[in-house]
Amino acid sequence: MLRLASSLALILIATAPSWAGELAKPAAEPILKVQGAITTMNDGETAAFDLSMLDALPQHTIKATTPWYDGEHEFSGVVIGDLLETLGASGESVTVTALNDYSAEIPMEDIKDYPVILATRVDGEELSVRDKGPLFVIYPFDEHPDLYNEVIFSRSVWQVASLTVH
Amino acid sequence: MSRRIGRGIVFLTLLSVVLLSSVIWLFAGLSERQNTIRSGVREDISWAAYQADREAARLIEAIQTAQIDHDVGDVSMRFDLLFSRTHLLTQGSYTEIFPASSLVGQKAAAANRAINSMVATMDGLAADPASFPAEAAEILGMAQAARQATGDLLVATNSAFNEIRVEERNETLFIYWRIGLSVAALTIALVLIVALLGVQLYHLSRSGREVELLSRRNERIAKKAKSASAAKSAFLATMSHEIRTPLNGIIGMTELLRGSRLERDQMHQVETIRLSGDMLLDVINDILDYSKLEAGAVRFEPIRVSLRETMVPIERMMSVRAETAGLKLVFDYPDVSVFVDANRIRQVLVNLIGNAIKFTPAGSVVVTGTVRGDRLKLEVRDTGPGISEADRQKLFREFSQIDSSNTRSFGGTGLGLAICRRLVNVMDGKIGVESAVGLGSTFWFDLPAGPVETIDENHIELETLPPVQLGGTVLVVDDNPINRDVAVGLLAKLGLDAVATCNGQEALEMLAASRFDLVLMDMQMPQMDGLEATRQLRARGFALPVVGLTANAFESDREACLDAGMDDHSAKPLTTVKLTDILQKHLSPEAVQLAPLSENEVDKDHQESLREALGEDEFDRLVEDFIQSCEHMLAQAQLALSKGDADGLDQVLHTLKGAALTLGFVSLADAAQAERSKTLHTVRLEDIRHHCQVAA
């Protein structure tokens, strides 16, 4: 009876899609690492994600004109706020670091106030490193034209490799 | 001066508006620039170029490291990062700032080409990492070429940006300068406006002070002019008084003299004196009227009157003159009531009729009144010599007479028609003349008289004076002995008892002492004038009629008289006609009684000499014949009187008087003469008849 109960509990734990403090390990090469003040990790002190893990999270699309592309484009990806919530993050800001070691700090207010996304796709096409991929921080310039300034541009990090919450 | 300042202010204000607009426009431009910068926000191109160069350096570094440790993955990653930069240099907002044709554009394109040329090799490397050692030198060479290109781009971008910065700064500086200049100009314009406004305010206050001074000066001048005018009026009044008083004496005494026993040539001389006096009076009246009109002192006071009431006195007055001149005077007008100033109409009509009588040697003068709508037109048509076109134009001018040569055949001031014209103008009417030489003249005037109402003929009460014999006691109050004598004399001739006194105080005492039926009161007297005397008299409860006598014919005098409590007013000189009118109007019926007959006066000496010359029988027979013919003549006179034949009556009375004088019946002759001097409607034959009976 006791064995049955404990094996049932194991099954329940194994099949739970998201359990606070539990995150599946990425199946493919991870493209994003989140570290710092988070409660859910899957690789030591960090939470690592591959593309399919990010795709599994709720998606958001921003259609906007940016300084980095000609004309209007559709950017889609995971909302940073949702991502951090999943990880039980708490803090004042998030430092976003790119593959080329460029980094910028995004205040938590931005993330709370706007649906800022980590874009994985532009016009439905996956972003490659050659085209500022794999992840690109995109602010909702379409809904909030006042975001169209240098400060926000500097926070719009491309080729994102990791987030550090603190 | 003030107008120039005003123009200056307007100009400066316009200038300020232009300057302000330009400043606003410049600010808008600046703001637009700012917006353009903001809208064209781009990642700093220098930064992009620097990043590209850095990535190229890192790629070289990664290749060199890989040659030692064979980590090809890092090389691919570095290449991808470098490659991601190339697109940034040729797309997005970068190309907006540096077009492909610019030096930076060319350098960017070169860097792009250098990086792009590595794609095939790098893709091959990614597919087969084992080939790296063989291709490492070639890849390194290409990477170094790319680094060269990105280095060139960095230098070109940097210098281009410096140029842009300087250019932009200059441009901004230029705009700031322009704004600064505009603001400075605007400030100057505003300061000038304020200054000009100040100057204008100063001018305004100064001219205000000047106007005030001017108006004070004008006030003084006007006061002076007014007092001068008042002095003139006073002078005229005095002159009028001074001239009229002796004239009063002349005319009055002539009147009395005419009633006395006179030789035929003496009678003619007296008539001439009387006529001259009348003419002199006319002249004085004209001048007075004119000066009053000139001073604007004539008021137009229309009241509702019946046209007949207005015309009858004129007709009466003028028929005497017409008869004397041997002319027929005909009046023709409708029975209507009109709203006019009857006094002014009378003045004009009397003047026009007087002229017509004066200038018409024979024939008739016809006065016609017609009503058209609310206007009354009065015409005086004569059968005189007519007036030529040229003369007609001079007619209504002041002091102009048609016959102004030395051989003037007619008297007058030449003011008559000018006065008429002014009077008619005062009444808002028109005056004119139609005439042709030899065909007579028609003078007309036309004036608003509305609303005109027709009078029902059944209600016309013809003014018929009852044939009464005047009687009673009259108190004459006048300080001038001549005037007193004239008044007493005329009153006595009319059969009234007259008592005279020389001032108001005495008059009051006499009125208290004995009974009077009427008072003739002079206005200007020492001690107590007529007005004050009348006021006191009324205050003491005397109700008897008081008629003011003045030397002036001013309307103001008349008003003063009535205000003081007088019943009427008459301008001197007194004449039998005026006096008769006054007495008939104001003597109470009780006072009207048969006049005490004068003593039957007979020239005994004359009769005695006749008896001696003719014999007693013959004289008695003549007297008997005379008494009989008297009856006959009285019958004839009665007939003439009833027909209104003044000439016939006068003829009869003249004959009667002549015959009576011949036989020495002096009082009878006087009685006949007295009636001759009366106007037709006041002639009473009873007195003569009474004397006839006494003589018989």
Side-chain angles (χ1 to χ4, degrees):
Chain A
M1 183 65 198
L2 190 69
R3 264 185 75 186
L4 183 69
S6 61
S7 57
L8 252 174
L10 271 171
I11 291 163
L12 277 170
I13 290 162
T15 54
S18 91
W19 174 277
E22 288 290 329
L23 188 69
K25 291 211 180 269
E29 184 74 14
I31 56 170
L32 177 70
K33 285 180 178 171
V34 185
Q35 59 218 357
I38 52 171
T39 53
T40 302
M41 300 86 149
N42 60 3
D43 184 17
E45 288 299 298
T46 65
F49 291 88
D50 61 9
L51 183 61
S52 61
M53 285 171 77
L54 288 174
D55 285 347
L57 288 165
Q59 298 293 300
H60 185 75
T61 302
I62 289 168
K63 196 172 178 185
T65 304
T66 63
W68 312 284
Y69 294 91
D70 288 333
E72 199 179 54
H73 294 277
E74 263 188 22
F75 300 91
S76 58
V78 62
V79 177
I80 297 175
D82 294 346
L83 177 69
L84 293 182
E85 202 179 320
T86 306
L87 299 177
S90 61
E92 296 294 306
S93 62
V94 178
T95 302
V96 185
T97 309
L99 290 171
N100 67 343
D101 300 333
Y102 172 85
S103 71
E105 196 171 288
I106 297 176
M108 207 55 95
E109 284 79 42
D110 278 11
I111 291 162
K112 279 177 186 157
D113 294 348
Y114 310 108
V116 185
I117 61 168
L118 272 175
T120 51
R121 289 174 179 78
V122 60
D123 298 327
E125 294 271 325
E126 273 178 40
L127 284 165
S128 65
V129 176
R130 289 184 184 182
D131 193 18
K132 304 173 197 68
L135 297 169
F136 198 153
V137 175
I138 295 290
Y139 276 75
F141 297 114
D142 50 350
E143 281 171 20
H144 304 277
D146 54 310
L147 292 173
Y148 203 83
N149 63 57
E150 281 89 340
V151 174
I152 300 301
F153 295 157
S154 73
R155 292 174 189 166
S156 301
V157 182
W158 67 66
Q159 293 166 337
V160 174
S162 68
L163 304 179
T164 309
V165 182
H166 45 91
Chain B
M1 184 67 194
S2 183
R3 184 183 286 184
R4 279 217 305 269
I5 293 171
R7 260 187 232 152
I9 289 173
V10 169
F11 170 74
L12 285 172
T13 307
L14 287 175
L15 184 67
S16 303
V17 169
V18 169
L19 287 170
L20 191 64
S21 316
S22 104
V23 169
I24 290 169
W25 180 73
L26 287 169
F27 264 117
L30 211 56
S31 166
E32 179 73 15
R33 271 176 74 80
Q34 213 67 29
N35 286 340
T36 312
I37 289 166
R38 201 169 282 168
S39 74
V41 180
R42 70 279 169 181
E43 201 153 337
D44 192 343
I45 202 154
S46 301
W47 175 249
Y50 163 74
Q51 288 282 9
D53 188 48
R54 189 159 163 262
E55 291 301 338
R58 282 185 167 184
L59 175 61
I60 290 165
E61 196 184 317
I63 292 166
Q64 286 167 343
T65 310
Q67 280 177 323
I68 300 160
D69 64 8
H70 304 286
D71 184 0
V72 181
D74 194 38
V75 174
S76 285
M77 168 65 79
R78 286 297 155 195
F79 178 75
D80 284 355
L81 288 174
L82 175 61
F83 182 85
S84 76
R85 294 278 155 197
T86 63
H87 283 288
L88 278 176
L89 298 175
T90 51
Q91 76 186 46
S93 56
Y94 300 92
T95 50
E96 285 170 21
I97 296 158
F98 296 113
S101 58
S102 68
L103 183 65
V104 175
Q106 286 166 18
K107 294 290 179 194
N112 248 3
R113 277 197 304 276
I115 294 162
N116 276 327
S117 68
M118 294 176 71
V119 171
T121 312
M122 292 310 290
D123 283 350
L125 186 66
D128 179 17
S131 64
F132 176 71
E135 292 184 40
E138 191 198 343
I139 290 168
L140 186 62
M142 285 196 289
Q144 279 165 344
R147 172 80 206 273
Q148 185 65 46
T150 57
D152 288 352
L153 174 63
L154 189 60
V155 172
T157 304
N158 196 38
S159 68
F161 255 96
N162 286 339
E163 276 171 33
I164 286 173
R165 270 193 210 101
V166 170
E167 195 183 313
E168 278 186 351
R169 198 179 303 134
N170 284 344
E171 245 173 68
T172 308
L173 201 62
F174 179 61
I175 289 174
Y176 279 137
W177 260 107
R178 277 168 61 186
I179 290 173
L181 283 174
S182 292
V183 168
L186 188 61
T187 309
I188 290 167
L190 288 174
V191 166
L192 282 175
I193 288 173
V194 169
L196 286 181
L197 280 173
V199 171
Q200 199 175 32
L201 215 62
Y202 167 72
H203 277 293
L204 276 177
S205 77
R206 202 175 67 177
S207 57
R209 273 202 309 279
E210 275 168 11
V211 165
E212 202 184 312
L213 282 176
L214 194 67
S215 81
R216 267 190 220 156
R217 201 160 60 216
N218 285 346
E219 210 173 297
R220 276 203 303 277
I221 291 169
K223 219 178 260 177
K224 230 182 263 177
K226 218 179 253 179
S227 67
S229 165
K232 196 179 95 177
S233 296
F235 171 74
L236 276 173
T238 312
M239 282 303 287
S240 153
H241 183 78
E242 294 305 321
I243 296 171
R244 276 170 195 246
T245 305
L247 200 58
N248 188 11
I250 294 169
I251 293 173
M253 285 304 173
T254 316
E255 192 100 337
L256 286 172
L257 199 59
R258 213 165 55 153
S260 64
R261 197 148 43 100
L262 292 173
E263 295 300 320
R264 190 172 282 272
D265 54 344
Q266 281 177 323
M267 184 57 98
H268 178 72
Q269 286 154 4
V270 169
E271 286 295 341
T272 309
I273 295 171
R274 169 66 203 263
L275 204 64
S276 304
D278 282 347
M279 277 162 63
L280 186 54
L281 191 64
D282 282 348
V283 169
I284 292 165
N285 284 341
D286 271 6
I287 292 170
L288 274 174
D289 280 346
Y290 183 74
S291 63
K292 275 191 287 176
L293 279 166
E294 184 86 297
V298 174
R299 273 175 296 165
F300 170 43
E301 289 160 352
I303 48 162
R304 175 148 299 281
V305 289
S306 112
L307 192 54
R308 181 174 293 277
E309 268 173 45
T310 313
M311 299 296 257
V312 165
I314 301 171
E315 187 171 356
R316 258 187 222 149
M317 183 174 149
M318 299 314 286
S319 1
V320 181
R321 279 210 227 174
E323 277 165 31
T324 316
L327 295 171
K328 223 168 94 183
L329 181 61
V330 182
F331 275 70
D332 179 27
Y333 46 84
D335 268 325
V336 289
S337 80
V338 283
F339 194 69
V340 291
D341 187 334
N343 284 334
R344 306 277 162 246
I345 287 193
R346 183 171 57 239
Q347 219 171 336
V348 177
L349 259 187
V350 164
N351 217 311
L352 295 181
I353 299 169
N355 273 352
I357 293 172
K358 192 155 83 176
F359 294 103
T360 306
S364 61
V365 174
V366 180
V367 181
T368 319
T370 46
V371 169
R372 183 166 297 166
D374 277 348
R375 291 185 81 87
L376 172 66
K377 187 176 186 181
L378 291 163
E379 286 177 303
V380 178
R381 195 165 67 244
D382 65 43
T383 54
I387 306 157
S388 75
E389 169 76 40
D391 286 339
R392 281 207 296 277
Q393 294 178 356
K394 288 193 274 178
L395 269 181
F396 294 97
R397 287 193 209 148
E398 282 82 8
F399 306 105
S400 93
Q401 283 181 314
I402 293 172
D403 182 11
S404 57
S405 60
N406 290 334
T407 57
R408 276 171 48 161
S409 36
F410 302 102
T413 50
L415 278 174
L417 287 175
I419 290 169
C420 288
R421 181 174 59 85
R422 291 203 176 209
L423 283 173
V424 171
N425 285 349
V426 166
M427 291 188 284
D428 205 14
K430 283 181 293 189
I431 189 166
V433 61
E434 280 146 29
S435 182
V437 176
L439 293 173
S441 315
T442 303
F443 283 83
W444 59 265
F445 63 102
D446 182 280
L447 64 160
V452 175
E453 287 165 14
T454 312
I455 296 171
D456 188 350
E457 279 194 42
N458 295 334
H459 289 90
I460 301 168
E461 280 185 37
L462 281 173
E463 194 190 352
T464 50
L465 288 164
V468 289
Q469 185 64 47
L470 297 169
T473 314
V474 177
L475 176 62
V476 178
V477 190
D478 199 319
D479 61 317
N480 186 304
I482 301 172
N483 287 347
R484 279 204 303 272
D485 288 352
V486 170
V488 171
L490 288 173
L491 284 165
K493 206 183 91 181
L494 289 171
L496 290 104
D497 287 333
V499 179
T501 178
C502 59
N503 69 55
Q505 190 58 51
E506 283 181 23
L508 284 173
E509 286 161 13
M510 290 176 77
L511 279 165
S514 47
R515 185 186 160 279
F516 289 95
D517 298 301
L518 183 90
V519 181
L520 292 178
M521 182 81 84
D522 187 28
M523 268 176 79
Q524 291 177 341
M525 286 181 294
Q527 287 174 38
M528 186 187 287
D529 68 14
L531 296 176
E532 181 55 31
T534 308
R535 271 192 286 272
Q536 293 208 6
L537 186 149
R538 292 293 183 227
R540 291 176 195 188
F542 288 103
L544 83 168
V546 178
V547 177
L549 293 179
T550 63
N552 305 328
F554 293 130
E555 187 66 20
S556 57
D557 290 339
R558 181 186 163 74
E559 279 168 18
C561 285
L562 297 183
D563 285 349
M566 293 186 183
D567 297 273
D568 205 348
H569 155 275
S570 184
K572 289 178 198 170
L574 269 182
T575 61
T576 315
V577 176
K578 280 190 198 168
L579 205 49
T580 311
D581 272 352
I582 291 171
L583 295 171
Q584 285 189 344
K585 232 182 337 182
H586 295 290
L587 272 184
S588 60
E590 306 92 71
V592 178
Q593 58 186 12
L594 269 175
L597 294 171
S598 57
E599 194 193 341
N600 182 28
E601 200 186 327
V602 177
D603 193 339
K604 300 280 187 202
D605 293 346
H606 183 65
Q607 285 193 345
E608 205 51 48
S609 62
L610 276 177
R611 279 200 184 89
E612 276 171 22
L614 301 169
E616 186 75 19
D617 292 348
E618 184 62 16
F619 177 74
D620 286 347
R621 197 183 58 78
L622 278 176
V623 170
E624 203 171 317
D625 280 356
F626 171 68
I627 301 299
Q628 279 175 2
S629 67
C630 254
E631 294 298 322
H632 180 64
M633 281 189 279
L634 279 168
Q636 274 188 328
Q638 190 64 56
L639 186 66
L641 193 59
S642 62
K643 285 199 296 192
D645 179 5
D647 284 347
L649 178 68
D650 192 62
Q651 199 67 48
V652 174
L653 290 178
H654 185 258
T655 313
L656 180 60
K657 181 193 139 193
L661 275 179
T662 310
L663 292 178
F665 295 111
V666 180
S667 58
L668 178 56
D670 282 352
Q673 182 60 35
E675 297 308 321
R676 280 184 73 193
S677 63
K678 293 181 183 174
T679 52
L680 193 61
H681 67 277
T682 58
V683 168
R684 309 276 171 267
L685 297 175
E686 284 75 11
D687 203 13
I688 304 172
R689 184 164 287 126
H690 175 76
H691 280 94
C692 279
Q693 284 158 5
V694 171

